[in-house]
Amino acid sequence: MAAAILVAQNLLYFRLHYFAGYSIPWDFLGPYHAVPHYWIEAARLGVPVSWIPFQAMGYPIYLNLQSGLFYPPYWWFVVTGTTYTVDAAILMQGMHVLFGAVGATLCARLLNMRWALALLAAVVYQSFGGFYSHASHPDIVRAYALLPWLCAPVIAPWQDGRLFRLSVGLMPLWSYGLWTGGYSGGAIAVSFVLVFLLAGRTIASRGDRSSLICGGLIGLALFSGALLAGFSLLPTMLDRAEVTRVGASGFLSYEYLDRRDWLALIWRIEGDFFGHDVTMRALFIGLPALSLFLLRLQLGRLREGAPLFAMALLALAMVSGVLHQPAMKLLPPLGYSRYIIADYRALLALPMILMGIQAAHLVAQGATGPRPWRHT
């Protein structure tokens, strides 16, 4: 039943793209489609691919971390002999959004939510505006889709269980997918936030053996996925001087969140009110989800949701620029991407959604907020 609801929601959102011939505009129809189409067709014909000939008089494919050359779903087209058409690319993107919604279900279940609330978390996350304002950037959408799967073991109570063990065991696959199929700036941002949370939770455990083991295993799983992707990342790292943004790190014009952007949580983003490019505007989670999040803050007992709260605060500190500016001086890769709103947007929205669902869970258990002040 839950799967049917999420599929129906996905079909509703993408109905014109799946069935009426509508395309995704702008960059989606440019190199984001042309480069994978080129190397997939070459691989299908058994032709080695090492050079992209039709951009800037040509360049080695390994310098383009957005080519998806090592991203497993692309190789399905090679193995099956299927052409990577625009329609196929749109379907692939829609399925990633659905996959992200299922990941939100996993997060909620690991947070001990019942199925109805886990489904609500998935529905809200599938409505997250980042999937749609960034629809023209497939690698950013893929990063948003993989985020819940990577976050789930990090933010969940570290209690042994079949679902928890499975989520940790699959982390190398999702980490590998993030580095090979997601936007590289987003991969750096997600890794930074998750490692920070892992370190914080491990330190806060005060030497508790089971927590140390859990934190170590999760960290190892996260790192092993990045290590598996190393053969695709290492050549670029060795030739990083050829990548303009590496040399310009710290001097780029970074896109940070401003006060007007908070309205994008519940408002449409068309028009000139918002100061960014239209792809950078949507934080949408909807008024009901935002209301539940504010209720969660009112209920207190934030210790019960400390990892979620810490994740939201850390993402906010980065996306606002308050922490990003000093952090990239210590860790230069944090400054390689100028799209800070894109990199940290889902890292802010996902914990807000889950904290809102947690509020519904606590209210169902009879929780009430602190007593209001009374004037005498």
Side-chain angles (χ1 to χ4, degrees), residues 192-270:
F192 170 74
V193 170
L194 294 188
V195 168
F196 194 95
L197 288 176
L198 273 174
R201 291 194 69 178
T202 304
I203 293 170
S205 68
R206 298 179 182 178
D208 178 71
R209 186 172 181 273
S210 62
S211 295
L212 290 175
I213 292 174
C214 281
L217 288 175
I218 294 171
L220 181 62
L222 187 65
F223 176 72
S224 62
L227 195 62
L228 287 172
F231 62 87
S232 67
L233 300 172
L234 184 60
T236 308
M237 291 174 64
L238 293 175
D239 277 347
R240 63 185 179 275
E242 302 296 325
V243 181
T244 303
R245 286 190 185 175
V246 173
S249 176
F251 300 98
L252 298 173
S253 176
Y254 293 103
E255 292 274 357
Y256 292 124
L257 195 75
D258 62 38
R259 286 175 294 179
R260 289 177 295 177
D261 292 326
W262 287 110
L263 294 174
L265 287 165
I266 56 174
W267 278 11
R268 295 176 66 90
I269 58 173
E270 294 89 342

Side-chain angles (χ1 to χ4, degrees), residues 5-19:
I5 291 173
L6 293 179
V7 170
Q9 182 191 17
N10 187 268
L11 290 173
L12 175 65
Y13 288 174
F14 289 98
R15 64 192 183 282
L16 296 178
H17 301 85
Y18 292 159
F19 307 117

Side-chain angles (χ1 to χ4, degrees), residues 301-357:
R301 297 167 57 177
L302 293 180
R303 184 181 294 273
E304 297 178 21
L308 288 173
F309 193 55
M311 181 178 171
L313 285 178
L314 180 57
L316 177 60
M318 293 297 285
V319 80
S320 65
V322 172
L323 181 60
H324 179 257
Q325 284 290 329
M328 70 180 176
K329 292 184 172 89
L330 296 174
L331 298 170
L334 292 173
Y336 290 172
S337 169
R338 67 183 181 91
Y339 303 118
I340 307 305
I341 294 180
D343 298 342
Y344 293 91
R345 182 185 314 186
L347 286 159
L348 177 60
L350 180 62
M352 290 180 68
I353 292 169
L354 292 172
M355 287 181 71
I357 302 304

Side-chain angles (χ1 to χ4, degrees), residues 35-44 49 61 67-69 74-75 78:
V35 172
H37 177 81
Y38 169 74
W39 72 255
I40 287 171
E41 289 300 299
R44 285 176 56 202
V49 179
I61 193 171
S67 70
L69 179 62
Y74 277 131
W75 282 89
V78 177

